[in-house]
């Protein structure tokens, strides 16, 4: 029996890797893709989700979510992902259209009507999920787990303290992190271990199919900022860590702890705060990824992309 998931994302180059991995796996059933503002504006991220699914010949429905944070100023990550949010010329403009239903309504309706708990995989700002939890708290009982890329147990990327997805909407992130539902977090501390080095990019090219070539090219585009700012030898494949954990959890070392988000304006706005020693005696813990088997991750990624076009 496959695991039913809904992907909430802001494609986004690394979001595209997540979506491709989920499409390739016979262990996952994608009930729908919901999009959010984030790397670029909502119209673009929605268009990019449609581009990816069209290119793979998938009819998985796409539902557009919110176009801005609850309260924070809107930021973007076009510097990393390009103005379109998905610099991949071969992924043509989509012929398919987004669904008329909005993402929040789709999430609530699906969670209320499902006969099996659903895994929510989030790889962008958490505004859609926060609104779902506020508008329909009853759906908690049908959420298997929320697996998300965001935060960091060490440093930020979009500010010295905060990771981009959390910084986009710290208030939404706090709503999700304080929800009484299993949460699994992949922060920069672990996603910065999963680097698409030239050797690993070559491994994708050596698959020999369109997907290996196109996704290798995307990761090379993505690496520009990682070389300039971080001195990394390649791009960090953040979002795909969520899918990799669902498929091969032993690739990651996890530790349960309370995680909150700093929603106070100032230097630490959007920073995730990790009570690793449970000093605050607050419940509602999150499983936080601390370490990754990066080589194992890229073997899984290669094998999944090899199953696609
Ligand atoms: O900080 C990395 C995260 O921000 C990733 O989800 C990337 O796609 C961007 O959204
Ligand atoms: Ca993302």
């Amino acid at each position: 029996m496959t695991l039913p998931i809904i992907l909430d994302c802001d494609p986004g180059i690394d979001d595209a890797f997540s979506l491709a991995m989920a499409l390739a796996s016979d262990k996952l059933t994608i009930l729908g893709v919901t999009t959010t503002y984030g790397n670029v504006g909502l119209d673009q991220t929605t268009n990019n989700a449609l581009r990816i699914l069209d290119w793979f010949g998938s009819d998985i429905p796409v539902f557009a979510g919110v176009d801005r944070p609850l309260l924070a100023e809107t930021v973007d990550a076009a510097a990393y992902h390009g103005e379109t949010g998905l610099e991949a010329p071969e992924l043509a403009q989509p012929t398919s259209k987004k669904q008329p239903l909005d993402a929040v309504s789709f999430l609530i309706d699906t969670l209320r009507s499902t006969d099996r708990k659903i895994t929510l995989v989030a790889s962008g700002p958490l505004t859609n999920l926060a609104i779902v939890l506020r508008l329909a708290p009853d759906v908690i009982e049908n959420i298997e787990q929320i697996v998300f890329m965001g935060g960091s147990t060490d440093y930020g990327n979009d500010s010295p303290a905060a990771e981009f997805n959390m910084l986009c909407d710290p208030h939404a992130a706090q709503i999700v992190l304080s929800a009484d539902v299993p949460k699994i977090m992949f922060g920069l501390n672990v996603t910065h271990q999963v680097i698409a080095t030239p050797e690993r990019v070559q491994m994708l090219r050596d698959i020999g199919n369109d997907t290996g070539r196109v996704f290798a090219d995307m990761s090379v585009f993505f690496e520009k900022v990682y070389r300039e700012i971080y001195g990394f030898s390649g791009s960090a494949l953040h979002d795909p860590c969520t899918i990799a954990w669902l498929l091969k959890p032993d690739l990651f070392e996890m530790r349960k702890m309370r995680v909150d988000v700093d929603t106070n304006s100032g230097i630490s706005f959007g920073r995730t705060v990790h009570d690793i020693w449970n000093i605050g005696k607050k419940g509602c813990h999150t499983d936080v990824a601390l370490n990754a088997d990066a080589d194992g991750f890229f073997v899984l990624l290669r094998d999944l992309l090899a199953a696609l076009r």
Side-chain angles (χ1 to χ4, degrees), residues 9-15 39 81 122-125 149 164-165 238-239:
C9 53
D10 62 335
I13 289 172
D14 53 335
D15 303 76
N39 286 316
H81 299 264
S123 59
M149 190 279 143
F164 178 77
N165 290 338
H238 309 282
D239 297 336

Side-chain angles (χ1 to χ4, degrees), residues 271-283:
R271 177 171 163 254
T272 49
V273 179
H274 303 79
D275 186 357
I276 196 167
W277 311 119
N278 197 25
I279 294 165
K281 299 281 185 281
K282 285 172 135 181

Side-chain angles (χ1 to χ4, degrees), residues 223-251:
E223 75 184 30
K224 195 162 64 274
V225 182
Y226 290 94
R227 287 182 180 279
E228 289 164 8
I229 296 181
Y230 305 96
F232 288 172
S233 58
S235 55
L237 293 190
H238 309 282
D239 297 336
C241 287
T242 58
I243 304 298
W245 178 82
L246 283 174
L247 300 177
K248 214 167 182 309
D250 59 2
L251 287 175

